[in-house]
Amino acid sequence: MGISGVISAVLIGLVIGALGRLVLPGRQRIGMLWTIAVGIAAALVGTGIAAVLGVSDTKGIDWIEWAIQIALAAAGVAALQRFKGRA
């Protein structure tokens, strides 16, 4: 993966992670780097799930894939918040 791939992954992770945080009620006490990491993981896993379901490559915007990625990011942020709250 080249530098453009890394930059793209970080930007997509930032967007997906931020949208995942917006879905959750209340304030999440995790940092921006954790948000990006959760977003990148959610984007990758969400793309895989969408591919298995056959909805990853459609005409126009892939709304179902985005919904899967955002739901995974929200679940990841909530799980990380819960984990960090215990520590």
Side-chain angles (χ1 to χ4, degrees), residues 8-58:
S8 296
V10 169
L11 290 176
I12 291 170
L14 179 63
V15 170
I16 296 293
L19 290 172
R21 285 181 76 155
L22 284 174
V23 171
L24 295 175
R27 182 168 187 231
Q28 294 80 39
R29 299 184 190 276
I30 63 171
M32 187 57 69
L33 290 177
W34 280 113
T35 300
I36 293 171
V38 168
I40 290 171
L44 292 172
V45 173
T47 299
I49 291 172
V52 168
L53 295 176
V55 295
S56 65
D57 191 22
T58 59

Side-chain angles (χ1 to χ4, degrees), residues 50 55-56 58-70:
V55 295
S56 65
T58 59
K59 293 182 181 179
I61 299 172
D62 297 325
W63 294 109
I64 297 172
E65 183 176 0
W66 272 83
I68 293 168
Q69 291 171 339
I70 293 168

